């Protein structure tokens, strides 16, 4: 028989505990910094793209960058100035089209576009989409549901866009709704389905949480928190 002392498990090496804590801290740091870094990078890219597109259209005498070059001798561009100019221009256009002359100009432009076969269809489709999404009274993309797809017994997250109307409603002869079924991980593409209302399971989760679920391929679930946080979002001790 061997020595009983030889059969006792050896104590855990203290260095392994230190490495495990460092690994946990590193992963927690990634979870905190990666979303912030990606968000900042996308914001900077969008602002830079708009500035590079809008600022060259401003006459030199009205462009603040010109004064920096002439009086300070530095080639310095004001970050975000192009975004402010774009917002101002869009607001002025909206105010103009709200008047009598503006509505007449819009109707004139739409009449011209109606004579262009391909452009006409593209314009009407784009206008209808923006009107549906931006109008306050619209319920488009405001409800997340489960729909059986691609066969019975398999479920997919989808979004109700509107009730089925017109010829489709007459042909189907059922109470159906228009459902947009997005793909993963790119929710901008997907399928348009006409589903009977009783075949849908309405989800209580907000649309934002459902979109996160689709984009993350099911990795991020509603109610998930960062590592080291409790249910109230506080750092765990």
């Amino acid at each position: 028989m061997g020595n009983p002392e030889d059969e006792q498990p050896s104590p855990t090496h203290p260095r392994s505990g230190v490495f495990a804590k460092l690994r946990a801290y590193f992963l927690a740091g990634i979870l905190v910094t990666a979303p912030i870094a990606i968000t900042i990078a996308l914001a900077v890219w969008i602002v830079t793209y708009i500035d590079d597109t809008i600022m060259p259209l401003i006459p030199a005498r009205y462009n603040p960058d010109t004064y920096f070059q002439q009086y300070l001798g530095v080639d310095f561009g004001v970050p975000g100035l192009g975004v402010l100019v774009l917002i101002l221009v869009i607001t002025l256009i909206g105010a103009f089209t709200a008047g009598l002359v503006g509505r007449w100009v819009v109707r004139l432009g739409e009449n011209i576009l109606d004579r262009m076969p391909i452009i006409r269809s593209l314009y009407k489709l784009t206008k209808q989409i923006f009107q549906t999404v931006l109008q306050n009274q619209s319920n488009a993309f405001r409800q997340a549901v489960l729909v059986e797809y691609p066969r019975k017994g398999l479920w997919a997250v989808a979004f109700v866009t509107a009730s089925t109307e017109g010829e489709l409603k007459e042909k189907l002869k059922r109470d159906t709704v228009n459902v947009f079924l997005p793909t993963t991980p790119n929710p901008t593409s997907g399928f348009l389905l006409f589903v009977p209302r009783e075949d849908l399971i309405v989800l209580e989760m907000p649309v934002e949480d459902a979109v996160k679920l689709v984009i993350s391929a099911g990795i991020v679930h509603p109610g998930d928190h960062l590592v080291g946080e409790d249910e109230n979002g506080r750092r765990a001790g």
Side-chain angles (χ1 to χ4, degrees):
M1 296 179 64
N3 192 346
E5 295 181 357
D6 297 338
E7 299 178 1
Q8 296 179 357
S10 60
T12 304
H13 200 284
R15 292 183 59 185
S16 61
V18 174
F19 288 141
K21 285 188 176 181
L22 292 177
R23 179 177 178 274
Y25 292 153
F26 178 75
L27 293 178
I30 291 179
L31 290 176
V32 173
T33 58
I36 297 176
I38 293 174
T39 302
I40 293 176
L42 288 176
V44 171
W45 179 81
I46 292 173
V47 171
T48 303
Y49 176 79
I50 295 177
D51 286 349
D52 293 341
T53 304
I54 300 298
M55 295 307 294
L57 303 178
I58 302 177
R61 56 180 177 178
Y62 300 119
N63 195 330
D65 297 345
T66 304
Y67 296 94
F68 282 107
Q69 295 175 356
Q70 292 181 351
Y71 297 103
L72 298 180
V74 294
D75 188 7
F76 176 77
V78 180
L81 184 59
V83 177
L84 294 177
V85 172
L86 180 61
I87 294 174
L88 178 61
V89 170
I90 293 176
T91 304
L92 291 177
I93 293 175
F96 174 73
T97 55
L100 180 62
V101 178
R103 289 196 296 268
W104 178 82
V105 173
V106 172
R107 286 196 298 268
L108 178 62
E110 290 181 343
N111 290 334
I112 296 175
L113 292 176
D114 283 339
R115 301 179 181 180
M116 304 178 183
I118 299 178
I119 302 299
R120 173 183 58 194
S121 301
L122 180 61
Y123 170 75
K124 289 184 177 180
L125 175 62
T126 305
K127 181 180 179 180
Q128 186 175 7
I129 292 175
F130 273 90
Q131 286 180 340
T132 303
V133 174
L134 296 180
Q135 285 178 350
N136 293 329
Q137 64 270 25
S138 175
N139 292 323
F141 301 100
R142 292 297 187 269
Q143 191 176 50
V145 296
L146 286 176
V147 58
E148 284 189 295
Y149 185 88
R151 63 173 176 81
K152 289 288 186 180
L154 299 182
W155 295 88
V157 176
F159 303 94
V160 175
T161 58
S163 298
T164 306
E165 301 293 343
E167 181 182 0
L168 294 174
K169 183 177 181 179
E170 296 177 359
K171 297 292 185 181
L172 294 174
K173 301 183 185 304
R174 300 184 65 179
D175 182 18
T176 59
V177 293
N178 304 344
V179 173
F180 174 69
L181 178 65
T183 56
T184 300
N186 178 20
T188 59
S189 63
F191 306 94
L192 174 61
L193 307 177
F194 303 98
V195 186
R197 195 180 298 271
E198 63 271 14
D199 291 344
L200 297 175
I201 298 179
V202 179
L203 300 176
E204 296 182 359
M205 71 174 68
V207 173
E208 292 79 7
D209 289 346
V211 172
K212 294 177 185 178
L213 184 65
V214 173
I215 295 177
S216 66
I219 297 176
V220 177
H221 288 268
D224 284 352
H225 302 282
L226 291 178
V227 174
E229 291 187 355
D230 58 16
E231 293 181 356
N232 297 324
R234 296 187 298 265
R235 300 297 299 179

